[in-house]
Amino acid sequence: MNLNVVILAAGQGKRMHSNLPKVLHPIAGKALVRHVIDTARSLSPVRLCVVYGHGGDAVRAALPDADLRWALQAPQLGTGHAVQQALPQLAGDGTTLVLYGDVPLTRPETLRRLLKAAQDGLAVLTVELADPTGYGRIVRDGAGRVVRIVEQKDATAEEKAIREVNTGIMAIPTARLAGWLAALSNDNAQGEYYLTDVVAAAVAEGVPVNAAQPDGEWEVLGVNSKVQLAELERVQQRRIAQDLLEAGVRLADPARLDVRGELACGRDVAIDVNCVFEGRVELAEAVDVGPNCVLKNVRVGAGARIAAFSHLEDAVVGPDCVVGPYARLRPGAELGPEVHIGNFVEVKNSTIAAQSKANHLAYVGDAKVGERVNIGAGTITCNYDGANKHLTVIEDDAFIGSDTQLVAPVTVGRGATLGAGTTLTRDAPPETLTVSRAKQLSLPGWQRPVKKPKK
Ligand code: UD1
Ligand code: CA
């Protein structure tokens, strides 16, 4: 069966009070409309069309996907008019599924259920709400069959008492769609062309109308304000945490975890409170992440420990490393196995090989560090001359004394030792002590100045 999906995203979103188009606001790090597109794609539609509004160029620019078709709706004369704009883009037979760009969390299973209900006609996704105010109401006949949808503003007092509402998500036989849309009238309280009126048209023509329901109300909640955006963010985070727990991840508190992207975890991973994961993060078996860490596009090897308050971005951490507390791995940091990066150590665009250590207060930038290297406290690679970046090479088994400046480009040979306080401007030979330091003197008999007595 050919499936068309039409995503309505032309509405203004005034109540967001934002310059960003409503459907581009993120839930779990992903634009609302991107959630809808991903869900739609999982149903393998032959056509996927987004109806966007006047000034919605930002929406198009944010979604460069080759398989998307676009229909401009300007001016916006209602949901029926919106779907009409998409008609030329659709494959002529099969079913057309209408989704909203601001209803992000509908599960594919729910939509499959709706499509099944539409096999012999039209199907509407409905839900019973304790407070149905504002929604279109599902009107059924004595036999319980759906006969039409009435909008809040057009409803009688009796109809307003109906608690089953239209979620807006609908599956319609495509062959009938053009005719039904062309026949819509805007003679209603809002002067709009209502998509919901196709239900009565179907009933009039003897086309069966069915209803399907989502498992959870959250699946059909839309975003019209920052309040609703924040509420759905929590819903989504709770779902993500639940999935992680069910997969065996230990979360100190599922309510204090934020995943804004994809988090893949091996067995026996433990995550403490208030961690934020962005982009694609992979934690291998038995990784331990301490409280208050931020990891963005990071791969962490088995058995590694990321201690409290560490910030890692575009980095790779080898197995059995210890990073933090208070460590910063910036883009291009790659740690081999069993590397230790301690507090207030910053690593950028550098590889650090197995068992090397920088345990306190250091900056390692644009460096290639060998195995079993010890980088003392206060060591800094002077990688930037004000115009260009230069490479520092530290070979295996080198020992870098505390408070050393490595003025790049420079190489520290294998097994070399640099004395504390060295400012290295030329290569240090292997297996040798190199030190640049003023000779220490002590002046016997020297006296501290004393304060002059007040006159
Ligand atoms: C619509 C339904 C209502 C349902 C409710 C669920 C109609 C007539 N009413 O009401 O039965 O209970 O959704 O939230 O369909 N849009 C366009 N172009 C337009 C108008 C709307 O693209 O001209 C898009 C909006 O961006 C939004 C969606 O359609 O994503 C729904 O629009 P909205 O104004 O929220 O619909 P309601 O009037 O609330
Ligand atoms: Ca709405």
Side-chain angles (χ1 to χ4, degrees), residues 178-427:
W180 289 343
L181 292 176
L184 290 180
S185 126
N186 66 351
D187 182 15
N188 52 51
Q190 301 183 79
E192 286 182 10
Y193 296 94
Y194 293 162
L195 178 64
T196 43
D197 285 347
V198 302
V199 170
V203 170
E205 290 179 24
V207 174
V209 176
N210 302 307
Q213 284 77 36
D215 288 346
E217 201 179 298
W218 53 268
E219 288 189 64
V220 295
L221 294 179
V223 173
N224 296 301
S225 67
K226 293 278 168 65
V227 172
Q228 291 168 335
L229 186 71
E231 282 167 359
L232 280 193
E233 178 74 33
R234 282 306 100 203
V235 168
Q236 183 65 352
Q237 293 302 339
R238 221 180 304 127
R239 293 178 71 204
I240 293 169
Q242 192 67 27
D243 287 349
L244 289 168
L245 289 168
E246 279 166 14
V249 177
R250 188 155 66 82
L251 300 177
D253 182 355
R256 283 183 288 168
L257 167 81
D258 286 84
V259 180
R260 301 174 193 152
E262 279 173 88
L263 174 60
C265 294
R267 265 179 109 76
D268 293 311
V269 165
I271 300 171
D272 213 323
V273 298
N274 295 332
C275 291
V276 178
F277 299 91
E278 294 181 64
R280 164 103 194 148
V281 175
E282 290 173 38
L283 307 178
E285 208 165 297
V287 165
D288 190 301
V289 182
N292 301 297
C293 291
V294 178
L295 279 73
K296 180 175 184 180
N297 300 321
V298 174
R299 242 169 42 228
V300 183
R305 190 156 67 84
I306 313 296
F309 296 99
S310 294
H311 190 285
L312 286 66
E313 180 175 0
D314 295 315
V316 179
V317 175
D320 299 311
C321 282
V322 180
V323 174
Y326 298 99
R328 178 153 185 226
L329 300 188
R330 289 174 50 205
E334 289 191 21
L335 312 183
E338 296 175 57
V339 167
H340 290 192
I341 298 296
N343 40 223
F344 309 108
V345 174
E346 173 180 345
V347 181
K348 183 216 79 171
N349 188 36
S350 296
T351 57
I352 301 183
Q355 297 180 352
S356 288
K357 293 178 182 167
N359 270 331
H360 336 264
L361 301 148
Y363 173 57
V364 180
D366 301 305
K368 191 170 174 301
V369 179
E371 300 183 355
R372 296 171 303 278
V373 168
N374 196 304
I375 296 177
T379 296
I380 285 175
T381 53
C382 308
N383 59 324
Y384 185 51
D385 59 14
N388 296 297
K389 304 274 171 73
H390 301 282
L391 180 70
T392 298
V393 177
I394 304 175
E395 293 179 354
D396 294 348
D397 298 298
F399 181 96
I400 313 296
S402 296
D403 194 28
T404 292
Q405 298 92 52
L406 300 154
V407 183
V410 75
T411 295
V412 178
R414 173 182 292 263
T417 299
L418 301 189
T422 293
T423 300
L424 194 73
T425 52
R426 281 171 285 127
D427 292 354

Side-chain angles (χ1 to χ4, degrees), residues 7-12 22-23 51-52 73 75-82 99-103 134-137 149-151 165-168 170 190 192-197 220 224:
I7 298 174
L8 303 189
Q12 271 209 329
K22 175 164 80 173
V23 294
V51 180
Y52 71 110
Q73 187 203 16
Q76 284 122 44
L77 305 179
T79 49
H81 178 254
L99 303 176
Y100 287 180
D102 55 5
V103 178
Y135 289 90
R137 308 295 205 282
I149 297 175
V150 61
E151 292 303 297
V165 306
N166 173 31
T167 64
M170 220 180 265
Q190 301 183 79
E192 286 182 10
Y193 296 94
Y194 293 162
L195 178 64
T196 43
D197 285 347
V220 295
N224 296 301

Side-chain angles (χ1 to χ4, degrees), residues 43-211:
L43 303 170
S44 313
V46 292
R47 301 288 163 81
L48 181 46
C49 181
V50 180
V51 180
Y52 71 110
H54 197 63
D57 294 337
V59 176
R60 280 194 76 153
L63 302 169
D65 317 35
D67 64 331
L68 287 185
R69 288 155 187 270
W70 294 90
L72 175 66
Q73 187 203 16
Q76 284 122 44
L77 305 179
T79 49
H81 178 254
V83 174
Q84 206 168 22
Q85 309 314 302
L87 279 179
Q89 314 269 8
L90 306 183
D93 55 348
T95 300
T96 296
L97 175 65
V98 178
L99 303 176
Y100 287 180
D102 55 5
V103 178
L105 300 183
T106 319
R107 291 156 61 245
E109 295 86 327
T110 298
L111 296 178
R112 273 188 221 109
R113 195 183 300 155
L114 179 74
L115 290 172
K116 208 159 170 218
Q119 259 167 359
D120 62 341
L122 184 153
V124 187
L125 192 65
T126 72
V127 67
E128 290 229 3
L129 295 181
D131 177 11
T133 309
Y135 289 90
R137 308 295 205 282
I138 306 297
V139 181
R140 293 178 182 259
D141 65 13
R145 285 178 303 232
V146 176
V147 290
R148 62 193 175 89
I149 297 175
V150 61
E151 292 303 297
Q152 165 91 20
K153 287 185 178 146
D154 302 293
T156 63
E158 200 181 325
E159 286 164 342
K160 280 186 188 133
I162 299 171
R163 295 195 310 136
E164 186 186 7
V165 306
N166 173 31
T167 64
I169 295 173
M170 220 180 265
I172 308 163
T174 308
R176 308 267 190 160
L177 188 58
W180 289 343
L181 292 176
L184 290 180
S185 126
N186 66 351
D187 182 15
N188 52 51
Q190 301 183 79
E192 286 182 10
Y193 296 94
Y194 293 162
L195 178 64
T196 43
D197 285 347
V198 302
V199 170
V203 170
E205 290 179 24
V207 174
V209 176
N210 302 307

